[in-house]
């Protein structure tokens, strides 16, 4: 019930208020029935109020001594209550507190998830935006105060992506070959002018 309740702390307090009185009333009834069935099991005659009083003093580990078990059966029941007191105070209380904390954490996570889904519904494009070629990346300043632009590479169908530097170098080579070819067409005599080397220096 704590794990399903919208108010886990209130449900935990209600569980403690239900478990502890039932525990005390159970042992008080057992002591009263034992005192009525076998007289002399305790130092004095027990009424219902006396049995509840003795149970509470045992639960709180006070033990005034005005009522004491005498018979073996009464002492065995008292020992069982001592062990049960430790179980109630340690295990039951810890289980209730852990359930309350788990319910609170799950409620907080659920509310955060609903809030995020609401934000995505209000802004459907958020989180799924695609960057265009040459689009500036916000928050990353480049040179001269301008924003840095991400390089965009397109992969052609049936071709592998190449390095832009190789592409630029290929274009330079093609331009030089085209220039040499034009010069040869303009001057068909190869002895008049030799082909210039790529570094731009004339050969003798």
């Amino acid at each position: 019930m704590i794990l399903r309740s919208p108010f886990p702390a209130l449900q935990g307090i209600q569980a403690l208020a239900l478990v502890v009185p039932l525990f005390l009333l159970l042992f008080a009834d057992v002591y009263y029935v034992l005192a009525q069935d076998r007289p002399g099991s305790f130092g004095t005659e027990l009424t219902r109020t006396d049995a509840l009083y003795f149970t509470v003093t045992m639960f709180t580990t006070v033990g005034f001594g005005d009522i004491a078990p005498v018979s073996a059966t009464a002492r065995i029941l008292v020992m069982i209550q001592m062990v049960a007191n430790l179980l109630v105070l340690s295990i039951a209380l810890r289980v209730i507190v852990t359930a309350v904390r788990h319910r609170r954490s799950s409620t907080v996570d659920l509310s955060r998830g609903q809030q995020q889904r609401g934000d995505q519904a209000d802004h459907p494009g958020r989180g799924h935006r695609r960057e265009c070629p040459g689009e500036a990346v916000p928050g990353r300043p480049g040179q001269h105060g301008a924003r840095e632009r991400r390089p965009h590479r397109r992969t052609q169908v049936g071709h592998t992506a190449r390095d832009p530097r190789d592409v630029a170098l290929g274009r330079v080579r093609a331009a030089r070959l085209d220039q040499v070819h034009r010069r040869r067409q303009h001057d068909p005599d190869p002895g008049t002018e030799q082909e210039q080397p790529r570094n731009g220096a004339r050969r003798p």
Side-chain angles (χ1 to χ4, degrees):
M1 293 177 64
I2 294 174
L3 295 177
R4 295 192 302 266
S5 176
F7 304 100
L10 184 61
Q11 191 66 37
I13 295 174
Q14 183 179 355
L16 286 177
L18 181 64
V19 170
V20 175
L22 286 177
F23 176 80
L24 297 177
L25 290 175
L26 175 64
F27 276 96
D29 187 62
V30 171
Y31 293 147
Y32 176 76
V33 171
L34 180 62
Q36 296 298 322
D37 186 52
R38 297 180 181 181
S41 297
F42 295 90
T44 59
E45 295 294 331
L46 293 182
T47 61
R48 295 183 183 274
T49 305
D50 295 337
L52 182 60
Y53 164 77
F54 176 72
T55 305
V56 173
T57 57
M58 292 299 301
F59 181 76
T60 57
T61 66
V62 176
F64 291 110
D66 49 352
I67 301 176
V70 177
S71 64
T73 305
R75 291 180 177 179
I76 290 174
L77 289 175
V78 169
M79 287 188 294
I80 293 175
Q81 184 188 354
M82 290 178 183
V83 176
N85 292 340
L86 297 177
L87 295 178
V88 170
L89 292 177
S90 60
I91 298 178
L93 184 60
R94 181 174 297 179
V95 167
I96 292 174
V97 172
T98 304
V100 171
R101 291 179 178 176
H102 181 72
R103 176 59 181 172
R104 283 183 174 178
S105 61
S106 61
T107 304
V108 171
D109 295 339
L110 181 61
S111 62
R112 288 179 179 176
Q114 292 177 354
Q115 184 178 2
Q116 291 178 358
R117 287 194 294 270
D119 293 341
Q120 292 180 358
D122 295 338
H123 305 281
R126 181 179 299 178
H128 301 280
R129 184 185 178 189
R130 296 182 178 178
E131 296 180 356
C132 298
E135 182 180 1
V137 180
R140 293 184 179 180
Q143 298 179 353
H144 305 289
R147 294 183 178 179
E148 182 182 358
R149 296 180 180 273
R150 291 183 178 178
H152 182 76
R153 298 180 181 178
R154 291 185 178 179
T155 304
Q156 298 180 358
V157 179
H159 299 275
T160 58
R162 297 190 302 173
D163 193 353
R165 293 177 295 182
D166 297 338
V167 176
L169 184 59
R171 292 178 179 176
V172 172
R173 290 177 179 176
R176 289 182 178 178
L177 291 176
D178 186 40
Q179 184 179 4
V180 171
H181 181 67
R182 290 181 180 179
R183 288 182 179 178
R184 287 182 178 178
Q185 289 181 353
H186 181 71
D187 189 5
D189 187 5
T192 57
E193 184 179 357
Q194 296 182 354
E195 182 182 354
Q196 296 181 1
R198 294 182 180 179
N199 56 5
R202 287 182 175 272
R203 294 182 181 179

